[in-house]
Coordinates of all heavy atoms in Angstrom, one line a residue:
M1 N 87.7 210.1 170.1 CA 87.6 211.5 170.3 C 87.0 211.9 171.6 O 87.4 212.9 172.1 CB 86.8 212.1 169.1 CG 86.7 213.6 169.1 SD 88.5 214.2 168.7 CE 88.1 215.8 168.6
I2 N 86.1 211.1 172.0 CA 85.5 211.4 173.4 C 86.5 211.4 174.5 O 86.4 212.1 175.3 CB 84.3 210.4 173.6 CG1 83.2 210.5 172.6 CG2 83.7 210.6 175.0 CD1 82.5 211.8 172.6
S3 N 87.4 210.4 174.5 CA 88.4 210.3 175.5 C 89.3 211.4 175.5 O 89.9 211.9 176.5 CB 89.2 208.9 175.3 OG 89.9 209.0 174.2
I4 N 89.6 211.9 174.3 CA 90.5 213.2 174.2 C 89.8 214.4 174.8 O 90.4 215.1 175.6 CB 90.9 213.3 172.8 CG1 91.6 212.3 172.2 CG2 91.5 214.8 172.6 CD1 91.9 212.4 170.7
I5 N 88.5 214.6 174.5 CA 87.8 215.7 175.2 C 87.7 215.5 176.7 O 87.8 216.4 177.4 CB 86.4 215.8 174.4 CG1 86.6 216.2 173.0 CG2 85.5 216.8 175.2 CD1 85.3 216.1 172.2
H6 N 87.5 214.2 177.1 CA 87.3 214.0 178.6 C 88.6 214.3 179.2 O 88.6 214.9 180.3 CB 86.9 212.5 178.7 CG 86.8 212.2 180.1 ND1 87.8 211.4 180.7 CD2 85.8 212.3 181.0 CE1 87.5 211.2 182.0 NE2 86.2 211.7 182.3
T7 N 89.8 213.8 178.7 CA 91.1 214.1 179.2 C 91.3 215.6 179.3 O 91.9 216.1 180.3 CB 92.1 213.3 178.5 OG1 91.7 212.0 178.3 CG2 93.5 213.4 179.2
F8 N 91.0 216.3 178.3 CA 91.2 217.7 178.1 C 90.5 218.4 179.3 O 91.0 219.4 179.9 CB 90.9 218.3 176.8 CG 91.1 219.7 176.6 CD1 92.4 220.2 176.6 CD2 90.1 220.7 176.5 CE1 92.7 221.5 176.4 CE2 90.3 222.0 176.4 CZ 91.6 222.4 176.3
L9 N 89.2 218.1 179.5 CA 88.4 218.6 180.5 C 89.0 218.4 181.9 O 89.0 219.3 182.7 CB 86.9 218.2 180.4 CG 86.1 218.7 179.3 CD1 84.7 218.1 179.3 CD2 86.1 220.2 179.2
L10 N 89.5 217.2 182.1 CA 90.1 216.9 183.4 C 91.4 217.8 183.6 O 91.7 218.2 184.7 CB 90.4 215.4 183.5 CG 89.4 214.4 183.7 CD1 89.7 213.0 183.7 CD2 88.6 214.8 185.0
L11 N 92.2 218.0 182.5 CA 93.3 218.8 182.5 C 92.9 220.2 182.9 O 93.6 220.9 183.7 CB 94.1 218.7 181.3 CG 95.4 219.3 181.2 CD1 96.4 218.8 182.2 CD2 96.0 219.4 179.8
L12 N 91.8 220.7 182.3 CA 91.4 222.0 182.6 C 91.0 222.2 184.0 O 91.3 223.2 184.8 CB 90.2 222.4 181.7 CG 90.6 222.9 180.2 CD1 89.3 223.2 179.5 CD2 91.5 224.1 180.2
L13 N 90.3 221.2 184.6 CA 89.9 221.2 186.0 C 91.1 221.2 186.9 O 91.1 221.9 188.0 CB 89.0 220.1 186.2 CG 87.5 220.2 185.7 CD1 86.7 218.9 185.9 CD2 86.8 221.5 186.3
T14 N 92.1 220.4 186.5 CA 93.3 220.4 187.3 C 94.1 221.7 187.3 O 94.5 222.1 188.3 CB 94.3 219.3 186.8 OG1 93.6 218.0 186.7 CG2 95.5 219.2 187.6
H15 N 94.1 222.3 186.2 CA 94.8 223.6 186.2 C 93.9 224.7 186.9 O 94.5 225.6 187.6 CB 94.8 224.1 184.7 CG 96.0 223.5 184.0 ND1 97.3 224.1 184.2 CD2 96.2 222.6 183.2 CE1 98.2 223.5 183.5 NE2 97.5 222.5 182.9
Y16 N 92.6 224.6 186.8 CA 91.8 225.5 187.6 C 92.0 225.3 189.1 O 92.1 226.3 189.8 CB 90.2 225.3 187.3 CG 89.4 226.1 188.2 CD1 89.4 227.5 188.0 CD2 88.7 225.5 189.3 CE1 88.5 228.2 188.8 CE2 88.0 226.3 190.0 CZ 87.8 227.7 189.8 OH 87.0 228.4 190.6
F17 N 92.1 224.0 189.5 CA 92.3 223.8 191.0 C 93.8 224.4 191.4 O 93.9 224.9 192.4 CB 92.3 222.3 191.2 CG 92.6 222.0 192.7 CD1 91.6 222.1 193.6 CD2 93.8 221.4 193.0 CE1 91.8 221.8 194.9 CE2 94.0 221.0 194.3 CZ 93.0 221.2 195.2
I18 N 94.7 224.1 190.5 CA 96.1 224.7 190.9 C 96.1 226.2 191.0 O 96.7 226.8 191.9 CB 97.1 224.2 189.8 CG1 97.3 222.7 189.9 CG2 98.5 224.9 190.0 CD1 98.2 222.1 188.8
I19 N 95.4 226.9 190.0 CA 95.4 228.4 190.0 C 94.5 228.9 191.1 O 95.1 229.8 191.8 CB 94.9 228.8 188.7 CG1 96.0 228.5 187.6 CG2 94.7 230.4 188.7 CD1 95.5 228.8 186.1
A20 N 93.4 228.3 191.3 CA 92.4 228.8 192.4 C 93.0 228.6 193.9 O 92.8 229.5 194.7 CB 91.2 228.2 192.2
Q21 N 93.7 227.5 193.9 CA 94.2 227.2 195.4 C 95.6 227.2 195.6 O 96.2 226.6 196.4 CB 93.6 225.7 195.7 CG 92.1 225.7 195.7 CD 91.4 226.4 196.8 OE1 91.9 226.5 197.9 NE2 90.2 226.9 196.5
R22 N 96.3 227.9 194.7 CA 97.8 228.0 194.6 C 98.4 228.3 196.0 O 99.2 227.5 196.5 CB 98.2 229.0 193.6 CG 99.7 229.1 193.5 CD 100.1 230.0 192.3 NE 99.5 231.3 192.6 CZ 98.8 231.9 191.7 NH1 98.5 231.5 190.5 NH2 98.3 233.1 192.0
E23 N 98.0 229.4 196.6 CA 98.7 229.8 197.8 C 98.3 229.0 199.0 O 99.3 228.4 199.7 CB 98.2 231.2 198.1 CG 98.8 232.2 197.3 CD 98.2 233.7 197.5 OE1 97.6 233.9 198.6 OE2 98.4 234.6 196.6
Y24 N 97.0 228.5 199.1 CA 96.7 227.5 200.2 C 97.4 226.3 200.0 O 97.9 225.6 200.9 CB 95.2 227.5 200.3 CG 94.7 226.4 201.2 CD1 94.8 226.6 202.6 CD2 94.3 225.2 200.9 CE1 94.4 225.7 203.5 CE2 93.9 224.2 201.8 CZ 93.9 224.5 203.1 OH 93.5 223.6 204.1
L25 N 97.4 225.7 198.9 CA 97.8 224.4 198.5 C 99.3 224.3 198.8 O 99.8 223.4 199.4 CB 97.6 224.0 197.1 CG 97.9 222.6 196.6 CD1 97.1 221.6 197.4 CD2 97.7 222.5 195.1
F26 N 100.1 225.3 198.4 CA 101.5 225.2 198.6 C 102.1 225.6 199.8 O 103.1 225.2 200.3 CB 102.2 226.0 197.5 CG 102.2 225.4 196.1 CD1 101.4 225.8 195.1 CD2 103.1 224.2 195.8 CE1 101.4 225.2 193.9 CE2 103.0 223.6 194.6 CZ 102.2 224.1 193.6
D27 N 101.3 226.4 200.6 CA 101.6 226.8 202.0 C 101.3 225.7 202.9 O 102.1 225.3 203.7 CB 100.9 228.1 202.4 CG 101.4 229.3 201.7 OD1 102.5 229.2 201.3 OD2 100.7 230.3 201.8
E28 N 100.1 225.0 202.8 CA 99.7 224.0 203.7 C 100.1 222.6 203.4 O 100.4 221.8 204.3 CB 98.1 224.1 203.9 CG 97.5 225.4 204.3 CD 98.1 225.7 205.8 OE1 98.1 224.7 206.6 OE2 98.3 226.9 206.2
Y29 N 100.1 222.3 202.1 CA 100.3 220.9 201.6 C 101.3 221.0 200.4 O 100.8 220.8 199.3 CB 99.0 220.3 201.1 CG 98.0 220.2 202.3 CD1 96.8 221.1 202.2 CD2 98.1 219.3 203.4 CE1 95.9 221.1 203.2 CE2 97.1 219.4 204.4 CZ 96.0 220.2 204.3 OH 95.1 220.2 205.3
P30 N 102.5 221.3 200.6 CA 103.4 221.5 199.4 C 103.5 220.1 198.6 O 103.7 220.2 197.4 CB 104.8 221.9 200.0 CG 104.6 221.5 201.5 CD 103.2 221.5 201.8
T31 N 103.5 219.0 199.3 CA 103.7 217.7 198.6 C 102.6 217.5 197.8 O 102.7 217.1 196.5 CB 103.8 216.5 199.7 OG1 104.9 216.9 200.5 CG2 104.1 215.3 198.9
A32 N 101.4 217.7 198.2 CA 100.2 217.6 197.4 C 100.2 218.5 196.2 O 99.7 218.2 195.1 CB 98.9 217.8 198.2
G33 N 100.7 219.8 196.5 CA 100.8 220.7 195.3 C 101.7 220.3 194.1 O 101.3 220.4 193.0
Y34 N 102.8 219.7 194.5 CA 103.7 219.2 193.5 C 103.2 218.0 192.8 O 103.4 217.7 191.7 CB 105.1 219.0 194.1 CG 105.8 220.2 194.5 CD1 106.1 220.5 195.8 CD2 106.1 221.2 193.5 CE1 106.7 221.7 196.2 CE2 106.6 222.4 193.9 CZ 107.0 222.6 195.2 OH 107.5 223.8 195.6
L35 N 102.5 217.1 193.6 CA 101.7 216.0 193.0 C 100.7 216.4 192.0 O 100.5 215.8 190.9 CB 101.2 215.1 194.1 CG 102.2 214.3 194.9 CD1 101.5 213.5 196.0 CD2 102.9 213.4 194.0
T36 N 100.0 217.5 192.3 CA 99.0 218.1 191.4 C 99.6 218.5 190.1 O 99.0 218.3 189.0 CB 98.2 219.2 192.1 OG1 97.7 218.6 193.3 CG2 97.0 219.6 191.3
I37 N 100.8 219.2 190.2 CA 101.4 219.7 189.1 C 101.9 218.5 188.2 O 101.9 218.5 187.0 CB 102.6 220.6 189.4 CG1 102.1 221.9 190.0 CG2 103.5 220.8 188.3 CD1 103.2 222.9 190.5
A38 N 102.3 217.4 188.9 CA 102.8 216.2 188.2 C 101.6 215.5 187.5 O 101.8 215.0 186.3 CB 103.4 215.2 189.2
L39 N 100.4 215.5 188.1 CA 99.2 215.1 187.4 C 98.9 215.9 186.2 O 98.4 215.4 185.2 CB 98.0 215.1 188.4 CG 98.1 214.0 189.4 CD1 96.9 214.2 190.3 CD2 98.0 212.6 188.7
A40 N 99.1 217.2 186.2 CA 98.9 218.1 185.1 C 99.8 217.8 184.0 O 99.4 217.7 182.8 CB 98.9 219.6 185.5
L41 N 101.0 217.6 184.3 CA 102.0 217.2 183.2 C 101.8 215.8 182.7 O 101.9 215.6 181.4 CB 103.4 217.3 183.9 CG 103.9 218.6 184.3 CD1 105.3 218.5 185.0 CD2 104.0 219.5 183.0
L42 N 101.2 214.9 183.5 CA 100.9 213.6 183.0 C 99.6 213.7 182.0 O 99.5 213.1 181.1 CB 100.5 212.7 184.1 CG 100.1 211.3 183.8 CD1 101.3 210.5 183.1 CD2 99.7 210.5 185.0
G43 N 98.7 214.6 182.4 CA 97.6 215.0 181.6 C 97.9 215.5 180.2 O 97.5 215.1 179.2
Y44 N 99.0 216.3 180.1 CA 99.5 216.8 178.8 C 100.1 215.7 178.0 O 99.7 215.5 176.9 CB 100.6 217.8 179.0 CG 100.1 219.2 179.4 CD1 100.5 219.8 180.5 CD2 99.3 219.9 178.4 CE1 100.1 221.1 180.8 CE2 98.8 221.1 178.8 CZ 99.2 221.7 179.9 OH 98.7 222.9 180.2
Y45 N 100.8 214.7 178.7 CA 101.4 213.6 178.0 C 100.1 212.7 177.4 O 100.2 212.3 176.2 CB 102.2 212.7 178.9 CG 102.5 211.3 178.4 CD1 103.5 211.2 177.4 CD2 101.9 210.2 178.8 CE1 103.9 210.0 176.8 CE2 102.3 209.0 178.3 CZ 103.2 208.9 177.3 OH 103.4 207.7 176.8
I46 N 99.1 212.5 178.2 CA 98.0 211.7 177.8 C 97.3 212.3 176.6 O 96.9 211.5 175.7 CB 97.1 211.3 178.9 CG1 97.8 210.4 180.0 CG2 95.8 210.8 178.5 CD1 97.1 210.3 181.2
I47 N 97.1 213.6 176.7 CA 96.4 214.2 175.6 C 97.1 214.3 174.3 O 96.6 213.9 173.2 CB 96.1 215.8 175.9 CG1 94.9 215.7 176.9 CG2 95.8 216.6 174.7 CD1 94.6 217.1 177.4
F48 N 98.5 214.5 174.3 CA 99.3 214.4 173.1 C 99.4 213.0 172.5 O 99.3 212.8 171.3 CB 100.6 215.0 173.4 CG 100.6 216.5 173.4 CD1 101.1 217.2 174.5 CD2 100.1 217.3 172.5 CE1 101.0 218.5 174.7 CE2 99.9 218.8 172.6 CZ 100.5 219.4 173.8
R49 N 99.5 212.0 173.4 CA 99.5 210.7 173.0 C 98.2 210.3 172.3 O 98.1 209.7 171.3 CB 99.7 209.7 174.2 CG 99.9 208.3 173.8 CD 99.8 207.3 174.9 NE 98.4 207.5 175.6 CZ 98.1 207.1 176.7 NH1 98.9 206.4 177.4 NH2 96.9 207.2 177.1
D50 N 97.0 210.6 172.9 CA 95.7 210.3 172.3 C 95.5 211.1 171.0 O 94.9 210.5 170.1 CB 94.7 210.6 173.4 CG 94.5 209.7 174.5 OD1 95.2 208.6 174.5 OD2 93.8 209.9 175.4
L51 N 95.9 212.3 171.0 CA 95.8 213.1 169.8 C 96.7 212.5 168.6 O 96.2 212.4 167.5 CB 96.2 214.6 169.9 CG 95.0 215.5 170.5 CD1 95.7 216.8 170.7 CD2 93.9 215.5 169.6
N52 N 97.8 212.0 169.0 CA 98.7 211.5 167.9 C 98.1 210.1 167.4 O 98.1 209.9 166.2 CB 100.1 211.2 168.6 CG 101.1 210.7 167.5 OD1 101.0 211.0 166.4 ND2 102.0 210.0 168.0
S53 N 97.6 209.4 168.3 CA 96.9 208.1 167.9 C 95.7 208.4 167.1 O 95.4 207.7 166.1 CB 96.6 207.3 169.1 OG 95.8 206.1 168.8
F54 N 94.9 209.4 167.4 CA 93.7 209.7 166.7 C 94.1 210.2 165.3 O 93.5 209.8 164.4 CB 92.9 210.8 167.4 CG 91.6 211.2 166.7 CD1 90.6 210.4 166.8 CD2 91.5 212.5 166.2 CE1 89.4 210.8 166.1 CE2 90.5 212.9 165.5 CZ 89.3 212.1 165.5
I55 N 95.0 211.1 165.2 CA 95.5 211.5 163.8 C 96.0 210.5 163.0 O 95.7 210.3 161.7 CB 96.5 212.6 164.0 CG1 95.8 213.8 164.6 CG2 97.2 213.0 162.7 CD1 96.8 214.9 165.1
K56 N 96.8 209.5 163.6 CA 97.3 208.4 162.8 C 96.3 207.5 162.3 O 96.2 207.0 161.1 CB 98.3 207.6 163.6 CG 99.6 208.2 163.7 CD 100.6 207.3 164.5 CE 102.0 207.9 164.7 NZ 102.9 207.1 165.4
T57 N 95.1 207.3 163.1 CA 94.0 206.3 162.7 C 93.3 207.1 161.5 O 92.9 206.4 160.6 CB 93.0 206.2 164.0 OG1 93.9 205.6 164.9 CG2 92.0 205.3 163.6
K58 N 93.0 208.4 161.7 CA 92.3 209.0 160.6 C 93.2 209.1 159.3 O 92.5 208.9 158.3 CB 91.9 210.5 161.1 CG 90.9 210.6 162.1 CD 89.6 210.1 161.5 CE 88.4 210.2 162.6 NZ 87.2 209.7 162.2
K59 N 94.4 209.3 159.4 CA 95.3 209.3 158.3 C 95.3 207.9 157.6 O 95.2 207.8 156.3 CB 96.7 209.6 158.7 CG 97.6 209.9 157.5 CD 99.0 210.3 158.0 CE 99.9 210.5 156.8 NZ 101.3 210.8 157.3
S60 N 95.4 206.9 158.4 CA 95.4 205.5 157.7 C 94.0 205.2 157.2 O 93.9 204.5 156.2 CB 95.8 204.4 158.8 OG 94.9 204.4 159.8
D61 N 92.9 205.6 157.9 CA 91.6 205.5 157.1 C 91.5 206.2 155.9 O 90.9 205.6 155.0 CB 90.6 206.0 158.2 CG 90.4 205.1 159.4 OD1 90.8 204.0 159.4 OD2 89.7 205.5 160.3
R62 N 92.0 207.3 155.8 CA 91.9 208.1 154.6 C 92.7 207.3 153.4 O 92.4 207.3 152.3 CB 92.4 209.5 154.7 CG 91.5 210.4 155.3 CD 92.0 211.8 155.3 NE 91.2 212.7 156.2 CZ 91.6 213.8 156.7 NH1 92.7 214.3 156.4 NH2 90.7 214.5 157.5
E63 N 93.9 206.9 153.8 CA 94.8 206.2 152.9 C 94.1 205.0 152.4 O 94.2 204.7 151.2 CB 96.1 205.9 153.4 CG 97.0 207.2 153.6 CD 98.3 207.0 154.3 OE1 98.6 205.7 154.8 OE2 99.1 207.9 154.5
S64 N 93.5 204.2 153.3 CA 92.8 202.9 152.8 C 91.7 203.2 152.0 O 91.4 202.5 151.0 CB 92.5 202.1 154.2 OG 91.6 202.8 154.9
S65 N 90.9 204.3 152.4 CA 89.7 204.6 151.5 C 90.2 205.1 150.1 O 89.5 204.9 149.1 CB 88.8 205.5 152.2 OG 89.4 206.8 152.4
S66 N 91.2 205.8 150.1 CA 91.8 206.3 148.7 C 92.3 205.2 147.9 O 92.2 205.3 146.7 CB 92.7 207.4 148.9 OG 93.9 206.9 149.5
E67 N 92.8 204.2 148.4 CA 93.4 203.0 147.7 C 92.1 202.1 147.2 O 92.4 201.5 146.1 CB 94.2 202.1 148.7 CG 95.4 202.8 149.1 CD 96.2 201.9 150.1 OE1 95.7 200.8 150.4 OE2 97.4 202.3 150.5
E68 N 91.1 202.2 147.7 CA 89.9 201.4 147.3 C 89.4 202.0 146.0 O 88.7 201.3 145.2 CB 88.8 201.4 148.3 CG 89.1 200.6 149.5 CD 88.1 200.7 150.6 OE1 87.1 201.5 150.4 OE2 88.2 200.1 151.7
Y69 N 89.5 203.2 145.6 CA 89.0 203.9 144.5 C 90.0 203.8 143.4 O 90.6 203.8 142.8 CB 88.6 205.3 144.8 CG 87.4 205.5 145.8 CD1 87.6 206.0 147.0 CD2 86.2 205.0 145.5 CE1 86.7 206.1 148.0 CE2 85.2 205.1 146.3 CZ 85.4 205.7 147.5 OH 84.3 205.8 148.4

């Protein structure tokens, strides 16, 4: 769960950087701007992958604990 929160915070910081520096970033360094957007999209992939793994783990833990009773 900590890694999910950590990744989410990094994604929020990336979005803040894109929004705050949008005009300067895309005017002066367009390649870096598009790479930053690509990093944000990669961050979404990582968050959804980690959340899916976390939910599956919790679901299997509940199923295994219910089988014990």
Side-chain angles (χ1 to χ4, degrees):
M1 187 65 176
I2 298 293
S3 67
I4 296 171
I5 294 170
H6 179 259
T7 308
F8 182 71
L9 290 175
L10 287 175
L11 186 64
L12 283 177
L13 288 173
T14 304
H15 277 281
Y16 173 75
F17 180 74
I18 291 171
I19 291 169
Q21 300 293 326
R22 178 181 56 235
E23 292 176 8
Y24 174 74
L25 184 65
F26 285 104
D27 287 344
E28 299 295 323
Y29 306 103
T31 305
Y34 292 118
L35 287 175
T36 308
I37 290 175
L39 285 175
L41 293 174
L42 181 65
Y44 281 120
Y45 168 75
I46 292 169
I47 283 179
F48 287 126
R49 184 195 62 190
D50 288 349
L51 277 175
N52 187 25
S53 174
F54 179 74
I55 291 169
K56 283 183 180 179
T57 304
K58 288 297 182 182
K59 185 177 180 183
S60 67
D61 288 347
R62 284 185 191 162
E63 289 175 356
S64 65
S65 65
S66 67
E67 290 175 358
E68 293 174 358
Y69 294 113

